[in-house]
Amino acid sequence: MPGVVRRLPEYLMIWVPLLLSAAHLISFSLWTIWISFTPSTLVPVSGWVGLRNYNSVMASRNWQIAFDNLLLFGSAFVLLSLVTGLMLAILLDQRIRGENVLRSIFLYPLAVSFVVTGTVWSWLLNPGIGIEKLVHDLGWTSFHFDWLVNRDMAIWTIVIAAIWQSSGFAMALFLAGLRSVDADIIKAAQIDGAGPIRTYWRVILPTLWPITITVVVVQLQFAISAFDLVRALTNGGPGTASEMPAKFVMDNLGFRQNIGLATSASTVMLITVICVVSPWLYRTYFSDQARRA
């Protein structure tokens, strides 16, 4: 009991903010779900319309485009940022000269907001003022890099900017994992005649599986909730070619003043996030407890 009394300030410092944050998150999530079943438009109102708002979301052409874009963007972004972060981590793991400088450069995009990232990349990819104009001014007039205004390629501009923004996060986690691999295991593989590539593929990378799952889950959550980057870079255009679910929600919430439709779409996004996170939570916590039991 005296030990509990001594540690009471520590418990209060940790658990009080945690419980308040959990209560805030749960209460507003439940409120959002409730509003999605009401006829709310400009302001929340009482009433019950069942699944009418959800049916409207699923029947919306913009939502269908946004969800298709999410599948493309999420798959390409997660895979490419994962590979890029791993390659950068392997590069830095070689104890190269200037490692601290390179690590800072690779991590720098994390310090930049998504709005700034989207704005800068919109300048770079704008055919009139960006990379295409620079190359034309150098004399290569046949060069074209107009993805920002190309309906078929606009979504890939978001992928490029998102990879630039988030690869440093993946690199930091993978580098920490690489530095924690037991040196004896690597030496044993080298004694058995394994070369560098085989050592990484057969020995080192399998030990990074938990880190890989963590990176995938975090990046998927970002992909599902991406709004600032899309708004600043393409604003969902050209037309609705790069529309995303988060932008669909904000457009209906702020511009079209349809709270019921916006909360329905956000609830669908919440369910998607839960589906993404649940397997990771089960594997990380509950399966380990079951094995120990």
Side-chain angles (χ1 to χ4, degrees):
M1 190 66 179
V4 174
V5 174
R6 285 197 303 269
R7 300 190 64 180
L8 184 60
E10 178 183 341
Y11 292 146
L12 292 176
M13 186 177 299
I14 295 175
W15 285 102
V16 171
L18 184 62
L19 292 176
L20 288 176
S21 298
H24 176 271
L25 177 63
I26 294 173
S27 61
F28 275 93
S29 297
L30 293 176
W31 183 83
T32 299
I33 295 172
W34 161 253
I35 293 297
S36 70
F37 292 102
T38 67
S40 303
T41 53
L42 179 60
V43 295
V45 296
S46 60
W48 182 263
V49 295
L51 298 176
R52 188 182 73 185
N53 291 324
Y54 290 92
N55 292 332
S56 298
V57 169
M58 295 304 173
S60 171
R61 176 61 179 165
N62 286 358
W63 175 260
Q64 294 172 9
I65 294 174
F67 207 81
D68 290 343
N69 285 338
L70 175 61
L71 295 177
L72 175 59
F73 168 71
S75 301
F77 162 65
V78 171
L79 178 61
L80 294 177
S81 64
L82 196 72
V83 173
T84 303
L86 180 59
M87 293 298 102
L88 292 176
I90 292 175
L91 171 66
L92 294 179
D93 192 46
Q94 308 307 309
R95 312 286 183 177
I96 60 177
R97 182 176 300 178
E99 175 188 334
N100 292 335
V101 175
L102 290 175
R103 187 167 61 241
S104 300
I105 292 174
F106 297 149
L107 285 172
Y108 174 75
L110 286 175
V112 180
S113 69
F114 291 116
V115 173
V116 174
T117 297
T119 302
V120 171
W121 277 96
S122 68
W123 296 340
L124 291 173
L125 299 174
N126 189 315
I129 61 175
I131 297 174
E132 182 174 315
K133 184 178 185 302
L134 174 63
V135 176
H136 286 181
D137 291 342
L138 294 176
W140 189 5
T141 57
S142 61
F143 176 80
H144 292 288
F145 192 43
D146 58 351
W147 289 10
L148 194 64
V149 295
N150 186 323
R151 291 185 60 88
D152 296 328
M153 303 302 295
I155 189 66
W156 291 101
T157 64
I158 304 176
V159 173
I160 292 172
I163 291 172
W164 180 84
Q165 176 88 17
S166 303
S167 292
F169 166 76
M171 178 212 69
L173 293 186
F174 280 127
L175 183 60
L178 290 173
R179 295 285 167 83
S180 65
V181 176
D182 191 348
D184 293 337
I185 298 177
I186 299 176
K187 291 180 181 178
Q190 293 173 344
I191 292 174
D192 289 341
I197 296 178
R198 189 176 181 83
T199 299
Y200 269 100
W201 183 254
R202 294 290 188 180
V203 178
I204 299 177
L205 293 184
T207 65
L208 301 181
W209 183 247
I211 295 177
T212 303
I213 297 298
T214 300
V215 172
V216 169
V217 170
V218 172
Q219 302 289 54
L220 279 175
Q221 291 181 71
F222 162 73
I224 294 171
S225 61
F227 169 73
D228 297 351
L229 182 62
V230 178
R231 183 75 179 185
L233 180 54
T234 66
N235 197 25
T240 58
S242 58
E243 184 81 4
M244 295 289 282
K247 184 178 178 297
F248 178 90
V249 171
M250 296 304 296
D251 285 346
N252 281 280
L253 187 64
F255 298 111
R256 297 167 188 165
Q257 299 176 348
N258 193 332
I259 296 179
L261 199 67
T263 52
S264 300
S266 63
T267 302
V268 174
M269 292 174 60
L270 175 62
I271 294 172
T272 305
V273 172
I274 292 174
C275 292
V276 170
V277 174
S278 295
W280 173 73
L281 290 175
Y282 177 80
R283 178 183 176 84
T284 304
Y285 298 103
F286 299 107
S287 63
D288 291 341
Q289 294 177 0
R291 284 195 295 269
R292 285 195 296 268

